Amino acid sequence: MAANRSYHPTIFLPPLARLSLQSTQQVSGALEKLRAVYWSPPLPAQITLPKRTILNDNAATDSGYATAENSDDEGEPSIITHVFDVTDSERLEVLRADTLEREFSVRWTTGFISRSDSWIENALGDDDRESRAQLLDEATKLLSAFIGDEVTEAEEDDERDEGEPTMVRSVSFPTSDGRVIEVQLHDAPMLEDDHTSVGLQSWGSCIRFGKRLCANPTSFSLTALPRGSNRPLRVLELGAGTGLLSILAAKLFRGSSQPPTVIATDFHPDVLANLAINVAANLPSSSIPSSSTHTSPQVQVHVLDWEHPTTSPPLDEPFDVILAADVIYHPHHARWIRVCVERLLRRPTSSQLDGKGGVFWMFNAVREVGRHEGLAESVERVFNDSAPADIGEGSGKGTMLRILEMEEAEKEVGVGRVDESGYRLFKIGWVEEST
């Protein structure tokens, strides 16, 4: 009997570089088949495990970070497949044990989630848009299942940091209107040899900053825009990690007639996967008011490389509020972040509604020992010595980012790591270039 390879993810998952060309039915079929492969038997009687020879060592599997303009073959290695049959009782185990297929599936699902915004917006009407939003929920659930399996395997094999098991914890945040916001945070173990995976865990500065946001959201500009603005407030989180600040920003507006557009960004693939899990757990699509015109999740997860930032959707419009907590772990980070904020923060205009431009809030831990000692000071150097930015729209003068306010905050007992001696809150915004 001829071998049936239709259930290999590397075969049936559509290229993300051409996601915009995929119909709702095509993506639905791909996700349904992906679930059937890993979690829902039965499968066809014959599944084969290919033996692969990579012909192009420099090619990389499409992880979802390539632009939609990429060629059909870019990022997809050439493969020679040698097929052999397996017995009926072994078919699921053989396919699921294929590491290449599983890693491809995880990267594809992560990439689909990060790219889904424009795909949903390009739907053929309201019903199709709702169907696509439901498929995004399905992809998020699949990714959560993948990550859950991987974390379990990693713990069993001691592949991650010993003594740092996966943890789900509940954190409460009292609000200024008497509510208490509950957030469930999934913290995954950091990768032993990769400092960029720090976002897999929720750090003390993020929790402290979150409490301040909830206690007085107005002081952090987390309020609906004035009537007549004809657009929602746009909120961006840099280095979102577990997504706490983005989740809180969305929950603060629960029930609002004009909910904000909240974008949670990070770079590391594992962090993005864990971020999607947290967003799905705390903000299911069913929480969106039925009267809302927004069919996408209240928090959108998107990849952002600080060193090489892009302004592709959903980052193609400026943001009113940018949030960041404990994001300085390298001498270059402050400089890269400044460039991102210059591109993404709303500029001052002559409009009475948007005249002052947006605000960037950064809450950083101060570390006086260890390998991150003194990095907090780089924020002041970079933002107080920065060159003028481009001319602000309608201002007629040059504008530059400057630290408008800085506040010291003490460490809270039981919150944060041992190397944290305190925190600094920065309010950064646009000022006119001095003549």
Side-chain angles (χ1 to χ4, degrees), residues 237-264:
E237 184 178 4
L238 299 177
T242 57
L244 176 60
L245 300 182
S246 295
I247 293 169
L248 290 175
K251 284 179 173 286
L252 283 169
F253 282 82
R254 176 163 291 180
S256 171
S257 59
Q258 194 176 32
T261 297
V262 183
I263 313 294

Side-chain angles (χ1 to χ4, degrees), residues 224-295:
L225 294 176
R227 183 172 299 179
S229 61
N230 297 320
R231 65 174 181 83
L233 183 77
R234 285 178 59 81
V235 181
L236 171 69
E237 184 178 4
L238 299 177
T242 57
L244 176 60
L245 300 182
S246 295
I247 293 169
L248 290 175
K251 284 179 173 286
L252 283 169
F253 282 82
R254 176 163 291 180
S256 171
S257 59
Q258 194 176 32
T261 297
V262 183
I263 313 294
T265 64
D266 216 296
F267 177 70
H268 196 289
D270 288 352
V271 176
L272 285 168
N274 192 55
L275 173 57
I277 292 173
N278 280 318
V279 168
N282 289 279
L283 295 165
S285 58
S286 59
S287 66
I288 301 175
S290 58
S291 60
S292 173
T293 59
H294 294 259
T295 58

Side-chain angles (χ1 to χ4, degrees), residues 238-239 306-307 309 322 324 326-330 332-344 360 362 364 379 382-383 401 428:
L238 299 177
W306 298 341
E307 187 177 6
I322 298 180
D326 211 0
V327 291
I328 307 298
Y329 286 90
H330 188 278
H332 293 325
H333 282 172
R335 178 167 52 85
W336 292 346
I337 288 173
R338 190 197 79 190
V339 173
C340 285
V341 174
E342 285 178 344
R343 295 188 181 188
L344 299 172
F360 172 37
M362 184 189 299
N364 284 330
V379 175
V382 166
F383 282 93
L401 288 173
I428 299 171

Side-chain angles (χ1 to χ4, degrees), residues 306-359:
W306 298 341
E307 187 177 6
H308 305 289
T310 65
T311 54
S312 59
L315 306 177
D316 55 336
E317 298 181 23
F319 291 87
D320 304 287
V321 180
I322 298 180
L323 306 172
D326 211 0
V327 291
I328 307 298
Y329 286 90
H330 188 278
H332 293 325
H333 282 172
R335 178 167 52 85
W336 292 346
I337 288 173
R338 190 197 79 190
V339 173
C340 285
V341 174
E342 285 178 344
R343 295 188 181 188
L344 299 172
L345 188 65
R346 188 172 298 280
R347 299 291 183 90
T349 70
S350 56
S351 167
Q352 292 182 350
L353 295 175
D354 299 325
K356 295 183 179 180
V359 180

Side-chain angles (χ1 to χ4, degrees), residues 169-207:
R169 52 176 167 166
S170 178
V171 187
S172 301
F173 298 87
T175 68
S176 56
D177 57 4
R179 293 183 295 151
V180 176
I181 295 177
E182 297 286 344
V183 177
Q184 300 291 326
L185 292 175
H186 179 276
D187 284 359
M190 289 190 299
L191 304 180
E192 208 172 274
D193 56 351
D194 191 348
H195 75 278
T196 65
S197 68
V198 292
L200 288 168
Q201 300 188 353
S202 301
W203 296 72
S205 54
C206 189
I207 295 174

Side-chain angles (χ1 to χ4, degrees), residues 7-9 12 32-44 47-50 52 86 88-106 142 146 149-150 153:
Y7 271 80
H8 286 80
F12 69 74
E32 182 178 353
K33 190 173 288 187
L34 188 62
R35 175 176 286 279
V37 167
Y38 289 100
W39 291 285
S40 299
L43 292 176
I47 297 294
T48 57
L49 176 63
R52 297 176 174 81
V86 296
D88 181 72
S89 61
E90 294 173 334
R91 65 187 188 278
L92 283 176
E93 289 77 11
V94 169
L95 181 56
R96 291 171 178 172
D98 189 336
T99 302
L100 186 149
E101 295 287 350
R102 186 179 183 88
E103 289 180 353
F104 181 91
S105 300
V106 172
L142 288 175
F146 272 125
D149 290 347
E150 289 180 353
E153 293 171 3

